[in-house]
Amino acid sequence: MLPRSLANWTPGRDLDVLMDLTPRCNIYCTMCLLPLEEEHSKGAEMPEPVFQRIADEVFPRAKSVSLSCGAEPFLSKRFLPALEMAAARGVPHIKFVTNGLLMTDEAIETIVDLGINRVMVSL
C-alpha cells in the first residue's frame, strides 16, 4: 500500500500549477488579496501566446492545475477554453476558485462535462 502522500501520484506528473488568467475581480471583499478597491478593475489578461506556451509545455507535466488563485476567473473571456485546454492535456486534477456571481448555466455545463475536480466558491 502506498503512503497517503503518494496515493494520487501520477508518474511524469509532478507539478502543481497555480495561476490567474486575469488580475481582476468583480467585487471587493475585506479579506481579499488585492490591495485596493480601485485595483480590482485594473490589469490585462494573460496574453494568449503566453498561456498557450504554458499549456503546451507545463500542463503535460502537471498533476494539478488551478486556474485562479485570487482573482475572479470568469472575468477572463478565455477561462472556459483554458479549462478545456487543461483537460485536453490530461491534467488529473483541475480546479479553480470563484465568487460564483458570474457563473452561467453554460459554464456549469462545461465544468461538469470536462470533469473538473474542484470548484471552490468563496463567500
Side-chain angles (χ1 to χ4, degrees), residues 57-75:
E57 295 180 17
V58 178
F59 287 5
R61 295 196 52 220
K63 66 180 172 188
S64 72
V65 170
S66 179
L67 291 177
S68 67
C69 300
E72 174 52 46
F74 286 101
L75 284 174

Side-chain angles (χ1 to χ4, degrees), residues 37-48:
E37 188 170 358
E38 59 269 12
E39 296 297 316
H40 279 53
S41 61
K42 292 183 181 177
E45 286 194 30
M46 180 183 294
E48 177 66 29

Side-chain angles (χ1 to χ4, degrees), residues 80-97:
L80 293 177
L83 289 176
E84 291 170 356
M85 290 172 115
R89 283 155 181 82
V91 177
H93 303 283
I94 303 168
K95 52 193 170 185
F96 65 92
V97 179

Side-chain angles (χ1 to χ4, degrees), residues 10 12-13 17-18 25-26 29 53 63 80 86 100 107-108 114-115 121:
T10 304
R13 290 188 174 270
V17 180
L18 295 105
C25 190
N26 56 324
C29 301
R53 185 169 180 191
K63 66 180 172 188
L80 293 177
I108 293 168
L114 292 174
V121 179

Side-chain angles (χ1 to χ4, degrees), residues 4 27 32 35 37 46 51 67-68 92 95 104 106 111 123:
R4 181 179 231 175
I27 60 175
C32 185
E37 188 170 358
M46 180 183 294
F51 181 80
L67 291 177
S68 67
K95 52 193 170 185
T104 63
E106 174 193 0
I111 291 162
L123 301 176

